[in-house]
Structure formats: structure tokens, C-alpha cells
């Protein structure tokens, strides 16, 4: 691999944001525009492919919320730019955007923070409780998850992190 930077979308929750300034991001699963995604969505332009990867990261954030009932009920996606060598594809299935960050990511690599607004909290809370069932194919659970996905995540610059943490808690 080369030194080309790749935009990666890391699913997260608010408590992870609090650790970001001092610890950065650990090695973790994430999403990016992969060759398998490009092949599956051949008609899509770069922006559309990035939106697919971003949306999948937001879906994975629901699973993180399910596992941490004390976390504020907001999906978080952290957009980072990392060298291609910092990534490993984890799934070559056609259409997959799954990657693994194989080394920690410093806060300096963060390009943007994306967090649900106040209006999404109830829908996100409901979706987090049934996210695993939706992934397993339950149509009622998927309907609930779709309700959360109707909310666009708000964009924040990394310099707004402290302000964001105060507002999201």
C-alpha cells in the first residue's frame, strides 16, 4: 500500500468522543469506500459511495449504543483521513465497506465529527434496542431502524469537540 490518504468512517458513541483528545481512536472496525463497494455500486460517483460507507458506520453506531445503555442516545460517526497502510479490508463480499484500522488514529487525523441532534434521540434510542434484530432480517426492527436513519447526523469540526460534548451529554 502507499501513503495515499483514505477517508474512513468510524462508528462511535458520545463517551468515545470524550476520550478522543487524549487517546485518539484505538484500532477498530470502520467503513470506507473499498474495491468491493466500488464494484457493487459501479454507477455511483465518489460522493454516493462515501455516503454508503458513512451510513453503514451510523448503523454500526446503533450497535455500540445497544451495548452501552448509559451512553447518550446519539449516533456518532468520526470521519478520519488515514494512510491506506493503516487499513485492512475485513470483508471482500461484493458491496462491503468494512475495514479495520490496524493502528491507533491520533486526533490530528480527524476530519469531522457527526452526531445526532436533539430531534433524533427518541428514534435513535428505539433503534438501538432492535439494531441486532434488524441486521438479522426482522422487518419490524428494520422499520424502527429506518426511523432513526431518517435523521441526518449533524456535522462538527474537530475544534468544536468540547462544545459538542457539553451539548450531547
Amino acid at each position: 500500500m502507499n501513503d495515499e490518504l483514505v477517508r474512513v468512517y468510524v462508528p462511535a458513541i458520545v463517551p468515545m468522543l470524550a476520550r478522543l483528545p487524549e487517546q485518539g481512536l484505538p484500532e477498530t472496525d470502520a467503513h470506507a469506500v473499498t474495491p468491493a463497494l466500488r464494484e457493487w455500486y459501479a454507477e455511483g460517483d465518489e460522493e454516493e459511495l462515501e455516503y454508503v460507507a458513512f451510513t453503514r458506520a451510523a448503523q454500526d453506531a446503533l450497535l455500540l449504543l445497544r451495548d452501552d445503555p448509559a451512553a447518550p442516545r446519539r449516533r456518532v460517526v468520526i470521519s478520519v483521513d488515514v494512510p491506506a497502510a493503516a487499513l485492512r479490508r475485513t470483508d471482500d463480499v461484493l458491496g462491503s465497506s468494512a475495514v479495520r484500522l490496524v493502528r491507533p488514529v491520533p486526533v490530528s487525523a480527524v476530519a469531522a465529527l457527526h452526531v445526532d441532534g436533539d430531534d433524533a434521540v427518541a428514534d435513535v434510542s428505539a433503534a438501538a434496542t432492535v439494531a441486532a434484530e434488524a441486521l438479522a432480517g426482522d422487518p419490524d426492527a428494520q422499520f424502527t431502524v429506518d426511523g432513526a436513519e431518517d435523521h441526518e447526523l449533524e456535522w462538527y469540526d474537530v475544534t468544536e469537540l468540547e462544545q459538542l460534548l457539553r451539548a450531547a451529554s
Side-chain angles (χ1 to χ4, degrees):
M1 297 205 169
N2 56 34
D3 290 341
E4 172 189 351
L5 291 180
V6 177
R7 175 65 51 98
V8 178
Y9 304 99
V10 181
I13 54 178
V14 172
M16 294 170 71
L17 289 177
R19 296 187 295 270
L20 192 59
E22 291 184 15
Q23 299 175 8
L25 292 168
E27 296 178 18
T28 190
D29 293 325
H31 292 272
V33 177
T34 63
L37 181 60
R38 284 185 198 286
E39 185 178 344
W40 170 73
Y41 200 50
E43 300 298 318
D45 63 21
E46 194 68 19
E47 187 174 324
E48 290 170 316
L49 293 171
E50 287 180 358
Y51 185 77
V52 170
F54 177 88
T55 300
R56 290 178 180 168
Q59 292 167 344
D60 284 355
L62 289 172
L63 297 172
L64 295 173
L65 285 170
R66 178 202 63 191
D67 294 341
D68 187 349
R73 305 284 89 184
R74 296 172 191 265
R75 296 168 299 167
V76 175
V77 174
I78 303 171
S79 296
V80 297
D81 294 322
V82 298
L87 297 176
R88 180 174 37 94
R89 286 190 307 214
T90 58
D91 190 351
D92 283 332
V93 172
L94 188 62
S96 175
S97 61
V99 295
R100 175 108 182 138
L101 290 167
V102 295
R103 58 184 178 224
V105 177
V107 70
S108 61
V110 174
L113 306 167
H114 312 272
V115 181
D116 276 310
D118 291 337
D119 63 327
V121 170
D123 288 334
V124 168
S125 182
T129 63
V130 297
E133 291 84 353
L135 283 174
D138 181 318
D140 293 330
Q142 185 60 52
F143 182 79
T144 302
V145 168
D146 290 345
E149 291 178 356
D150 287 343
H151 298 276
E152 293 290 328
L153 279 73
E154 298 174 356
W155 181 94
Y156 295 89
D157 186 81
V158 70
T159 60
E160 299 174 283
L161 180 58
E162 289 303 317
Q163 175 186 352
L164 173 60
L165 286 170
R166 284 192 299 275
S169 297

